[in-house]
Amino acid sequence: MNFFAKHRVAIALIGIVIIGAGFRLWNLGSAELTFDEGLYAFRSIGYLDYLESAAQPTPVHWFENNPLPWWTKLSFHDHPPLFFLIQHICFAMLGDSLLVARIPSALAGIASILLIFFVVRRLFKNIFPELTLNGLSPMSIGGLIAAALISVNFAHVFISRLAMMESVLIALSLLNILTFLRFMENPRRWIAFGATFGLVLLTKYVGIFLMPAYLAVIALQQPALFKNWRMYAAALLAAILFAPVVIYNIMLYKTFGHFDLQFSYLFGKMPPYWQGDSGKTQESFSRIFMNLRALYSPLLLILGTAGVILATGARRAIPTGRQARNALSLVLFTGASITFLLIAVGSAPRFTALYIISIIPLASFAILRCTERFPKREVLTVALGIIIASETVFTVKAQFTDTPNYGVVQLDRYLDGVFGSARPVNVPRHPSPTLDSVIQTYARNIPATIPPSGIIYDDNLAVGPMLWLFSRRQYYHGIPIMPASVFLEAQKTGNTAMFKNVALYFVKAENGAPLKRAHVGAAENIEKIFIANKNNPQFTAADDAGRAAFKAYRFTVN
């Protein structure tokens, strides 16, 4: 047997991973800033739980002029800390950029391709004892099918290219499922199971959806585990890893009388300053079918549905023992648990993407079931190629052809070109000791080779892009920034001494940019002055429909 024949599964898997990596890494830093990417990335740079918005106060606001207590570093006011910590490490090593912000998600997405292979390989270990295809075992066939499907699946490519938590959550969930299957086979493997479940919860609270699925499988298939101390030891280990969030919430409640945003919402005791647009928002569960159709190709949805039907019947009739029934039960219960979760938290695309964890194994099961019963397996091989090609076309169109553009990345590159890797000599100061310390600490490591400069930005810009484009440059690059409304008020009151001989860059957000709902007219009033003086913008950006998104002017106050 030659080398390639002997190692064809590994070679095929490496090829699938390379293709999947291409989908997740190609042009990663140039994709438009969307959703909450700016909110997460800005805070991760300095591992600082602060939003430049009085509408959603954080510990930095609450403690005002006092130093932040030690416990505020244990978690964040709206999410657990692990994803922020991972991003923070990447920023510390590689610098802050959109590419670096998305690297954790992209790498987690690539890891998920490998993990789904091993998960499905173990799931199908005892289900198709008589099936072979070109000499390959059903374990290897199923794992490769699942890896191929997820590598080109739009839902997974989509979240793997966002600087958000879901890609890391799915990767850790798959790892935890793998350790759970091993734990079910041998309870002595409880340490890996408990540790990975703790990491899932430290990434995002919605990872709790795994627990009902696990409990249901144990109750129906192996109830004796409830009498095994190792299961409770695994739960204790997960709780220990989750302890920083628990301590954070205890101290938060002791100090301010409420828990973090997510737990406050869960217990129905949301403080008044987190209500409305500044609080927790959801996308109605009634949009679930619309979001499913947007994220998953019709063919994959059909295969997933067929997998549910076939797995439900096969679980009862399967002759090969407890482990096979455990595997199918886990896939079905996981999908059901995700559905119950979405009823509670809404069906936003980032949550609907969690179905990847169950839909890929179910689709793979449906394909293998048909392969087992269909005599002409060459035809099924061609059919599988068509399925993968269809998924690829769907993903290319959705992810790389119909791409959004709000001008944010264009403006970010323009500002990078203006300031480069240096800062102005006039380092900004902040009335908050905590924030001023951040500014001065980061500024000390940046060469002050630029004459006095600053940025005036449009108040109407949405918070996420504002944090990434402007607040990031103030706190971590040492560049003074100011909202247009504050600048205009200073002009009206004659308090302009601070602007003398300073090169100012005024950024006006147009209709193509991501804007807040409420409108502030200060930027328009400033722009009228430039128009009257026939001062043309130095930079313009357009959205994907050709509408103006941003204009940037350079001027000096005499």
Side-chain angles (χ1 to χ4, degrees):
M1 183 180 291
N2 61 40
F3 176 84
F4 292 101
K6 185 178 179 181
H7 300 283
R8 54 184 170 170
V9 173
I11 293 169
L13 182 59
I14 291 171
I16 290 169
V17 170
I18 290 172
I19 292 171
F23 275 101
R24 286 153 182 79
L25 295 173
W26 185 79
N27 211 28
L28 185 63
S30 299
E32 188 57 271
L33 184 86
T34 54
F35 302 108
D36 291 340
E37 288 188 288
L39 277 72
Y40 297 156
F42 166 73
R43 290 184 285 171
S44 294
I45 296 171
Y47 196 74
L48 178 70
D49 188 11
Y50 174 70
L51 296 172
E52 192 92 323
S53 172
Q56 187 164 325
T58 67
V60 173
H61 294 95
W62 301 330
F63 286 100
E64 297 184 44
N65 296 323
N66 298 314
L68 290 176
W70 61 271
W71 55 266
T72 59
K73 292 292 185 180
L74 296 179
S75 190
F76 282 67
H77 80 282
D78 53 350
H79 291 292
L82 184 57
F83 183 75
F84 294 106
L85 181 60
I86 293 171
Q87 269 197 328
H88 174 69
I89 293 171
C90 289
F91 283 134
M93 294 173 60
L94 304 172
D96 59 76
S97 68
L98 269 181
L99 174 61
V100 176
R102 291 165 176 159
I103 281 177
S105 293
L107 294 180
I110 296 168
S112 293
I113 301 172
L114 287 169
L115 287 167
I116 200 79
F117 169 81
F118 290 109
V119 166
V120 171
R121 191 171 182 267
R122 187 165 289 272
L123 285 172
F124 295 167
K125 183 177 180 180
N126 300 296
I127 295 179
F128 301 97
E130 299 179 0
L131 173 65
T132 60
L133 185 62
N134 296 328
L136 296 178
S137 70
M139 296 166 54
S140 298
I141 300 167
L144 290 174
I145 290 173
L149 286 173
I150 201 173
S151 70
V152 297
N153 171 257
F154 169 61
H156 197 255
V157 171
F158 164 69
I159 62 166
S160 298
R161 294 175 61 85
L162 292 176
M164 295 176 67
M165 302 171 180
E166 280 67 28
S167 182
V168 174
L169 175 64
I170 287 176
L172 287 173
S173 296
L174 289 170
L175 180 60
N176 185 236
I177 289 170
L178 185 61
T179 62
F180 174 74
L181 291 170
R182 290 168 59 84
F183 169 73
M184 292 286 284
E185 294 175 6
N186 183 355
R188 294 179 183 275
R189 296 165 173 168
W190 64 270
I191 294 177
F193 172 49
T196 53
F197 188 65
L199 293 177
V200 167
L201 295 181
L202 276 179
T203 303
K204 195 159 187 173
Y205 298 139
V206 296
I208 196 69
F209 77 87
L210 289 170
M211 183 182 289
Y214 293 155
L215 292 176
V217 170
I218 293 172
L220 291 176
Q221 305 296 338
Q222 290 180 240
L225 275 176
F226 286 119
K227 298 178 182 180
N228 191 320
W229 66 267
R230 292 180 178 85
M231 191 178 86
Y232 301 100
L236 178 61
L237 178 56
I240 291 171
L241 287 172
F242 192 65
V245 174
V246 176
I247 295 170
Y248 176 91
N249 274 279
I250 290 172
M251 297 304 296
L252 195 62
Y253 189 86
K254 180 180 177 181
T255 308
F256 298 107
H258 63 79
F259 298 113
D260 71 17
L261 189 148
Q262 306 293 347
F263 283 110
S264 294
Y265 178 82
L266 177 65
F267 296 131
K269 294 183 179 180
M270 188 79 79
Y273 43 72
W274 284 342
Q275 302 287 343
D277 290 342
S278 66
K280 184 175 175 62
T281 58
Q282 293 181 229
E283 187 166 333
S284 172
F285 181 74
S286 63
R287 294 176 60 87
I288 181 68
F289 294 108
M290 181 184 301
N291 288 335
L292 281 171
R293 289 196 301 270
L295 285 179
Y296 301 96
S297 70
L299 189 54
L300 188 63
L301 291 174
I302 292 170
L303 286 170
T305 304
V308 171
I309 297 169
L310 293 170
T312 302
R315 195 191 66 81
R316 297 176 181 175
I318 204 158
T320 51
R322 185 181 66 188
Q323 292 180 6
R325 289 193 293 272
N326 287 345
L328 290 178
S329 295
L330 178 59
V331 175
L332 294 170
F333 283 130
T334 300
S337 187
I338 292 170
T339 302
F340 284 117
L341 171 74
L342 298 191
I343 292 173
V345 304
S347 64
R350 64 185 186 276
F351 295 143
T352 308
L354 292 175
Y355 276 117
I356 291 166
I357 295 171
S358 58
I359 198 171
I360 296 295
L362 286 167
S364 302
F365 179 82
I367 293 170
L368 276 190
R369 205 61 164 168
C370 292
T371 303
E372 183 184 43
R373 297 182 178 182
F374 195 75
K376 295 184 179 180
R377 291 177 181 171
E378 296 79 5
V379 176
L380 285 171
T381 302
V382 174
L384 178 60
I386 293 172
I387 292 168
I388 300 298
S390 173
E391 281 294 293
T392 302
V393 171
F394 184 88
T395 299
V396 169
K397 184 178 186 301
Q399 183 66 55
F400 301 107
T401 303
D402 301 333
T403 54
N405 176 22
Y406 310 117
V408 175
V409 172
Q410 297 176 58
L411 178 58
D412 194 30
R413 289 177 173 173
Y414 164 75
L415 293 174
D416 280 345
V418 169
F419 295 101
S421 57
R423 66 168 174 83
V425 294
N426 54 322
V427 178
R429 304 299 307 224
H430 201 285
S432 164
T434 298
L435 297 177
D436 191 61
S437 175
V438 171
I439 293 171
Q440 306 313 315
T441 299
Y442 276 84
R444 281 196 290 270
N445 298 318
I446 302 173
T449 58
I450 299 176
S453 307
I455 302 172
I456 298 166
Y457 66 89
D458 195 328
D459 301 66
N460 297 306
L461 189 61
V463 174
M466 182 273 291
L467 289 171
W468 181 256
L469 290 168
F470 305 117
S471 297
R472 173 174 64 101
R473 287 182 162 86
Q474 177 181 19
Y475 294 109
Y476 304 120
H477 295 189
I479 300 170
I481 67 168
M482 180 178 289
S485 57
V486 175
F487 176 78
L488 198 62
E489 184 63 27
Q491 290 285 89
K492 289 179 180 178
T493 59
N495 185 21
T496 59
M498 70 182 82
F499 305 120
K500 294 291 185 181
N501 301 317
V502 176
L504 296 174
Y505 295 84
F506 167 62
V507 176
K508 170 74 167 55
E510 301 292 342
N511 290 332
L515 304 174
K516 296 177 182 176
R517 293 180 183 177
H519 183 76
V520 178
E524 279 109 347
N525 292 331
I526 294 174
E527 188 177 39
K528 288 177 182 177
I529 299 172
F530 291 121
I531 294 173
N533 293 328
K534 298 182 179 181
N535 190 339
N536 296 320
Q538 192 178 69
F539 164 83
T540 59
D543 70 357
D544 48 8
R547 297 181 303 171
F550 291 101
K551 296 177 185 176
Y553 298 83
R554 186 184 186 280
F555 70 104
T556 304
V557 177
N558 297 321

